[in-house]
Amino acid sequence: QQQVKQSPQSLIVQKGGISIINCAYENTAFDYFPWYQQFPGKGPALLIAIRPDVSEKKEGRFTISFNKSAKQFSLHIMDSQPGDSATYFCAASSPFRGSNYKLTFGKGTLLTVNP
Amino acid sequence: NAGVTQTPKFRILKIGQSMTLQCTQDMNHNYMYWYRQDPGMGLKLIYYSVGAGITDKGEVPNGYNVSRSTTEDFPLRLELAAPSQTSVYFCASSGLEGQYFGPGTRLTVT
């Protein structure tokens, strides 16, 4: 049973456009939702994260939108750049001893930003 | 501050061989994890540890073993390697600010 469903599997965007990646979850106990960025040959790197007490979090060109009632969250990349081309993973975890324990990952989205 | 380091970067094993993937973190994190990443499948948790001497199984533990004798080190042991264990393995550690990944080990079993 896949607990975090991510879409689309791949995405092609023109430079300057908006990239949108969506995730849906089933477990209502999840209370931490990070996004990771992974370049080829590298480990995933934490990009931005949100907790369900807010509906939106913005860091530079990256924004997470969170809809608790729909159990969905999304990553928006504004003014997408070729350097943003990477695989993006959403994830979720439920509370345990106050840490980010046992993340459940989506299957990833391969983003390509054309110049 | 090196973060999470993993060795080796690449390894080819024959079926039935065994090996240990090394992982070290210098952030004094209590929580450490091992994941495997297969194409199009995201990351699957193999084992995790909440502190020295404490480990537990994740989603896909079969064929693997771990130990945690120190806060810094969390090695992953593969016994009797099988082709199904061909994958990229990532070690991670976490504090309150998030989970940090190492650069990965690409393992091929032939």
Side-chain angles (χ1 to χ4, degrees):
Chain A
Q1 180 185 7
Q2 184 187 359
Q3 295 191 52
V4 180
K5 294 184 178 180
Q6 183 172 346
S7 63
Q9 190 172 352
S10 62
L11 179 63
I12 299 175
V13 174
Q14 292 300 118
K15 178 181 176 181
I18 302 174
S19 303
I20 301 175
I21 304 171
N22 300 298
C23 283
Y25 63 96
E26 299 164 2
N27 187 348
T28 55
F30 286 152
D31 76 338
Y32 173 72
F33 304 90
W35 284 90
Y36 283 82
Q37 180 188 57
Q38 185 180 30
F39 294 106
K42 303 293 185 182
L46 179 62
L47 187 62
I48 187 173
I50 197 169
R51 294 196 182 270
D53 52 343
V54 296
S55 60
E56 186 175 283
K57 183 174 181 179
K58 183 176 181 180
E59 290 185 2
R61 296 183 293 110
F62 300 91
T63 299
I64 299 179
S65 296
F66 183 79
N67 186 329
K68 188 174 182 178
S69 60
K71 292 187 286 186
Q72 295 175 348
F73 58 109
S74 60
L75 176 69
H76 296 236
I77 306 175
M78 311 299 288
D79 187 26
S80 298
Q81 300 296 312
D84 296 330
S85 297
T87 300
Y88 292 81
F89 293 95
C90 63
S93 76
S94 50
F96 181 79
R97 301 185 187 178
S99 185
N100 308 308
Y101 160 74
K102 285 182 72 175
L103 289 175
T104 298
F105 284 86
K107 291 188 176 183
T109 297
L110 178 62
L111 172 65
T112 302
V113 181
N114 288 330
Chain B
N1 189 333
V4 180
T5 57
Q6 293 183 238
T7 57
K9 293 191 186 314
F10 304 95
R11 183 72 185 268
I12 298 174
L13 281 182
K14 294 188 182 301
I15 295 172
Q17 287 185 321
S18 60
M19 75 164 294
T20 299
L21 282 66
Q22 301 293 342
C23 174
T24 300
Q25 55 95 5
D26 62 0
M27 296 175 281
N28 201 34
H29 287 161
N30 285 323
Y31 295 80
M32 296 188 74
Y33 314 82
W34 274 104
Y35 295 89
R36 60 176 289 170
Q37 183 178 37
D38 301 300
M41 297 301 294
L43 293 105
K44 302 286 188 182
L45 183 65
I46 304 171
Y47 270 95
Y48 65 95
S49 170
V50 299
I54 307 171
T55 63
D56 206 348
K57 296 178 181 179
E59 188 179 356
V60 289
N62 292 343
Y64 308 94
N65 276 300
V66 293
S67 59
R68 183 96 181 270
S69 57
T70 67
T71 299
E72 295 79 19
D73 301 307
F74 189 39
L76 178 71
R77 178 81 175 166
L78 279 72
E79 305 281 2
L80 299 175
S84 61
Q85 293 178 306
T86 293
S87 188
V88 181
Y89 291 84
F90 289 101
C91 178
S93 71
S94 72
L96 293 177
E97 68 280 9
Q99 194 164 125
Y100 299 92
F101 285 78
T105 294
R106 183 173 296 274
L107 175 67
T108 302
V109 182
T110 63

